[in-house]
Structure formats: C-alpha cells, structure tokens
Amino acid sequence: MLFVTKKYFIVLFRISLSYLLFSCEEKKKDAVVQQYNGPLMVMDNLSVMFSDSGRTTVKFTTAKHLKLQNENDIYPKAVYVTFFDKNGVEYSSLRGDSGRYYKSEGLYKVMGNVFFFNRVQQQSLSTDLLFWSPVKKKVYTDLKFIIKTPKEELHGVGMEADQDFTHYTMRRAKGSFDVDSLSSSNESAVDTTSN
C-alpha cells in the first residue's frame, strides 16, 4: 500500500507540474509585446571631428546626443560647430540651443538663438533656425535673420551662405550699409537738390 501511495504521489506531482507549466505558457501567449520606440543610444559630451584629406575641417560638439531607430540624431542641448581653414585655424563658429541631424538628407538643423560668427570677416548671423549641409557646404534659413558686419546691419527673411559665411544671398532684405562713391576722377558731382 505504501508503494501505491508513492506512485499516486508521483503521478499527482507530474500532473500539477504540467498544469503549472501550461498555465505559465498561456500567460506568455496572452502578453502583448510592445515595440520600443525610444532612442537606440544616448551619449553625453559628444565631440565629432570632420576631416578632408587628413585635415580637420569641422568640429561638432554637444552635451547630449540621442541616436534614433531611423538613424537620425537629436541634440536636445546646445550645439557648437567650429569651422577650420586649410591651416587648421578656426575661422567661424555656429551655436544653437538644440539641433537635429537627418541622415537621409545629410542635413543638420540648428534651432533656438542661432548665432553664426565669421572671425576673419567679423560678420555675424542671428536667427531662430539654421540648416547646415556638410555635403553642399552651405547654411540657410527661411526665417527672419540679422546679419551684422563692421559697417552694416541687414535684416531679412530667408538667406543662404557658404558654410564659411564669406558669401551670402538674402531674400526680402533691408538694412543700412555703406556704399563707396562711384564717381570717377573725370566726372564732377552733380547736385540734384538745387534744381
């Protein structure tokens, strides 16, 4: 009789164990799998150097970097971009409150209190949004901007410039600037106010 009880106990134990395992398996099937939509990578204190033929041409730094699943990047803190000439000397810099990078377009978007300064020509650009294309080596905005040089202050909506900010094209611009005299030594000045 003792032998039957052991056998009965073993059978009962196996049935209980299989019921327990089966019920756990059912819970796994009923669980809803949620897809993760957050960043793939989060980095602090990012510093990236761009180079051409072994020379550093651009340095990009920010305090926080988020790499998204679509391979775009978000920079929720201030971004700094420094441009170097062929001798490695810094000639212009760009700063904004935050930024984004769109991989498919190869385009950076710098946002909030954007300030671009060319040290060589002593001219600056202020706007709320600026796009930078390292591939085309251009910066542009469709928003309001202010360009200041030692002799000029120009306001407008929409502009495009080389990434070194030496040449720029403005749309809907206005402002005050100095104009050199166009009169030659052979021509005398004409007074049009006395007529």
Side-chain angles (χ1 to χ4, degrees):
M1 194 159 182
L2 183 62
F3 180 70
V4 176
T5 311
K6 267 186 174 179
K7 193 173 185 180
Y8 178 73
F9 178 72
I10 291 172
V11 171
L12 185 60
F13 178 73
R14 285 184 179 173
I15 292 172
S16 299
L17 185 61
S18 53
Y19 176 73
L20 182 64
L21 292 174
F22 180 73
S23 65
C24 289
E25 189 65 32
E26 285 298 316
K27 287 182 183 177
K28 287 181 185 177
K29 289 181 184 176
D30 292 342
V32 177
V33 178
Q34 292 184 356
Q35 186 174 359
Y36 176 71
N37 291 323
L40 291 176
M41 179 175 54
V42 178
M43 292 176 52
D44 291 331
N45 302 318
L46 175 71
S47 182
V48 178
M49 307 293 264
F50 296 79
S51 64
D52 182 16
S53 303
R55 287 186 346 258
T56 299
T57 55
V58 179
K59 180 181 179 183
F60 179 91
T61 57
T62 185
K64 186 146 244 26
H65 168 230
L66 306 171
K67 173 69 91 181
L68 302 180
Q69 293 185 19
N70 61 4
E71 297 189 20
N72 291 345
D73 298 329
I74 295 177
Y75 311 106
K77 296 194 176 186
V79 296
Y80 302 90
V81 184
T82 306
F83 299 91
F84 299 94
D85 67 11
K86 63 183 177 182
N87 299 318
V89 177
E90 178 184 332
Y91 65 84
S92 61
S93 59
L94 168 62
R95 185 236 172 258
D97 291 343
S98 63
R100 289 184 176 254
Y101 173 68
Y102 302 99
K103 184 174 181 175
S104 63
E105 301 168 33
L107 189 65
Y108 286 86
K109 179 179 178 181
V110 182
M111 303 169 285
N113 299 310
V114 178
F115 186 75
F116 194 175
F117 183 68
N118 180 312
R119 285 172 173 56
V120 176
Q121 296 187 353
Q122 294 295 304
Q123 59 189 25
S124 68
L125 165 71
S126 300
T127 186
D128 286 327
L129 174 68
L130 188 70
F131 290 95
W132 167 48
S133 172
V135 175
K136 295 178 182 177
K137 298 185 179 181
K138 297 279 186 188
V139 296
Y140 63 91
T141 185
D142 292 326
L143 300 182
K144 291 180 182 180
F145 67 86
I146 300 172
I147 294 177
K148 292 182 181 179
T149 70
K151 296 181 179 182
E152 306 167 336
E153 181 170 318
L154 305 167
H155 298 254
V157 177
M159 62 81 58
E160 181 178 310
D162 297 334
Q163 78 176 13
D164 62 4
F165 198 50
T166 52
H167 301 94
Y168 48 87
T169 304
M170 301 173 286
R171 298 183 293 275
R172 296 189 352 200
K174 62 182 177 179
S176 61
F177 50 93
D178 291 342
V179 177
D180 293 335
S181 174
L182 299 176
S183 64
S184 67
S185 59
N186 294 340
E187 296 178 18
S188 60
V190 177
D191 182 8
T192 58
T193 59
S194 62
N195 292 338

